[in-house]
Amino acid sequence: VTFSVTFNITLQHRTALRAGEEPRCMSWQTVDTKGCWTPSGCTRVGGDTLHSICACTHFSTFAILTAIRPITESFALTVVTYVGMSVSLVCLFFAIVTFLLCRSLWSVSVTLHLQLSICLFA
């Protein structure tokens, strides 16, 4: 139900806003069986670092979202991820080969470690 006039709703933040954070008033919109947060029908009209005042034209489930932009990964994080994954796969491969070739150490524990290494490698 959408109203012709707006009403104000005050929402308390879980944590104080940091410098540069821009909170937005959002409402939950359900379409068929899926739902999403949408800014339509609600705008932030005031507040401070601990509260936000939203002017809305409909009843819904409301929230204050601060991280509305997707988080972008830095180049350094991407490099560390790929290098770390490559080193891990090489080490797991050598562990699997070692477990398979050292039959003199064969035991239940070695079998379990071999299976775990294969699962992690996969």
Side-chain angles (χ1 to χ4, degrees), residues 43-119:
T43 56
R44 186 172 189 261
V45 293
D48 54 18
T49 59
L50 296 175
H51 298 84
S52 287
I53 301 170
C54 302
C56 303
T57 59
H58 62 280
F59 287 136
S60 180
T61 302
F62 300 104
I64 297 294
L65 299 184
T66 55
I68 55 173
R69 284 174 247 124
I71 299 172
T72 57
E73 293 184 10
S74 66
F75 176 73
L77 181 60
T78 303
V79 169
V80 168
T81 300
Y82 284 110
V83 169
M85 184 65 124
S86 300
V87 170
S88 296
L89 287 174
V90 168
C91 291
L92 281 169
F93 175 76
F94 285 131
I96 292 168
V97 170
T98 302
F99 290 139
L100 289 174
L101 295 179
C102 293
R103 293 286 184 184
S104 62
L105 300 175
W106 203 255
S107 68
V108 173
S109 176
V110 171
T111 304
L112 292 174
H113 282 88
L114 171 64
Q115 292 172 359
L116 176 64
S117 297
I118 291 171
C119 288

